[in-house]
Amino acid sequence: MDRRCIAIFDSGLGGLTVVRAIQQRLPADDLVYFGDTARVPYGSKSKETVTRFAREICDFLLRFDPKLIVFACNTASAAALPSLRPHISVPTVGVVMPGARAAVERAGNGTIAVIATESTINSDAYRTAMRSLNPQVRVIQKPCPLFVPLAEEGRSADDPIVRAVVQDYLQPLVALGPQAMVLGCTHYPILREAIAAACGPTVELIDSAEQTAQQVYADLAATNGLRTEDRRGKLTCYVSDNPQRFRELGQRFLQQSIVDVTWVAPERFHADEARPVS
Ligand code: DGL
């Protein structure tokens, strides 16, 4: 058993969907979350910039002595994880491969649709991961940049604006008859109901958050790292801006109230006072 925490980060609050899935799978573990709310969105930034941000955040998270770091952000997983992984001193889990694997299992030699941010689609990370698992699979992709602000605004699935945007983005993909669709962005599970309505019953939606939690569980089980005591793990959050907004909006992503949020600006990552008190 390994009692060290699991560290998780995202460009903002969307990664709380991954936190929620990990809490359900690994309830006894303490989680430390970093949301880069000062520099969100990552989805429209270059690979170089996202990699620099991810490297800084991993350095910060390593101060908590985690047993594992989860790249909950699809954009950071796609753009930065492959190049950073060899330089990080603890195991890492990204959201791309778990989601890709689940989609390939569902779709067989059929068609998989991937919806994600522009950076994730441009990186081609999902297609590359899927083709490494099954070279026959057909992958169709589409960036859906308006989904992130819609999810953050808390609009419901039956909101006419949500319906119109979802329909406009997804109709051309659905017309190509995919068997599965990967929700390749932390925010998209929030719009799941509207996306499911636009896709119809024949398209299976793959939520990277759930798949990633399963991957974290499997990796820890394989190294005797699971925490098996009968306890409820603690969630400690750090954000690079506006902890109050994170607390308020984050509740919707986490589906529970968020108590422990501390502001730490990226330029203070290396300052002693940014060090957690445990
Ligand atoms: N967290 C990002 C992702 O999963 C979405 C928000 C952003 O663009 O930073 O790709």
Side-chain angles (χ1 to χ4, degrees), residues 126 227 250 260 263-264 268 275:
Y126 271 104
R227 211 166 162 171
D260 195 355
W263 175 36
V264 50
R268 307 287 309 160
R275 195 185 177 90

Side-chain angles (χ1 to χ4, degrees), residues 136-177:
Q136 311 299 326
V137 79
R138 178 177 176 233
V139 183
I140 52 176
Q141 309 191 78
K142 190 169 176 78
C144 303
L146 288 175
F147 283 4
V148 169
L150 286 176
E152 294 224 346
E153 267 202 17
R155 288 177 182 264
S156 61
D158 54 3
D159 182 303
I161 294 175
V162 172
R163 287 211 175 273
V165 171
V166 168
Q167 194 61 31
D168 188 66
Y169 280 141
L170 300 191
Q171 203 277 328
L173 286 179
V174 174
L176 296 171

Side-chain angles (χ1 to χ4, degrees), residues 164-219:
V165 171
V166 168
Q167 194 61 31
D168 188 66
Y169 280 141
L170 300 191
Q171 203 277 328
L173 286 179
V174 174
L176 296 171
Q179 279 75 43
M181 179 179 288
V182 176
L183 308 182
C185 172
T186 48
H187 286 61
Y188 297 0
I190 298 289
L191 303 177
R192 189 183 181 116
E193 229 181 284
I195 294 170
C199 287
T202 56
V203 184
E204 181 154 357
L205 299 185
I206 309 287
D207 179 349
S208 313
E210 284 164 22
Q211 307 303 327
T212 302
Q214 282 179 30
Q215 184 70 54
V216 171
Y217 184 94
D219 286 4

Side-chain angles (χ1 to χ4, degrees), residues 191-270:
L191 303 177
R192 189 183 181 116
E193 229 181 284
I195 294 170
C199 287
T202 56
V203 184
E204 181 154 357
L205 299 185
I206 309 287
D207 179 349
S208 313
E210 284 164 22
Q211 307 303 327
T212 302
Q214 282 179 30
Q215 184 70 54
V216 171
Y217 184 94
D219 286 4
L220 290 176
T223 55
N224 255 339
L226 287 179
R227 211 166 162 171
T228 49
E229 305 126 298
D230 183 15
R231 73 189 287 274
R232 179 121 192 96
K234 169 173 103 193
L235 171 65
T236 310
C237 297
Y238 292 83
V239 292
S240 50
D241 197 17
N242 208 340
Q244 187 50 36
R245 183 172 189 270
F246 179 85
R247 224 177 258 120
E248 283 162 18
L249 295 180
Q251 289 183 33
R252 206 170 48 247
F253 289 77
L254 194 60
Q255 293 181 14
Q256 60 184 266
S257 56
I258 304 173
V259 189
D260 195 355
V261 188
T262 304
W263 175 36
V264 50
E267 57 275 21
R268 307 287 309 160
F269 274 168
H270 299 289

Side-chain angles (χ1 to χ4, degrees), residues 108-111 130-131 133-139:
N109 286 343
T111 300
M130 288 166 182
R131 289 266 169 86
L133 298 165
N134 179 0
Q136 311 299 326
V137 79
R138 178 177 176 233
V139 183

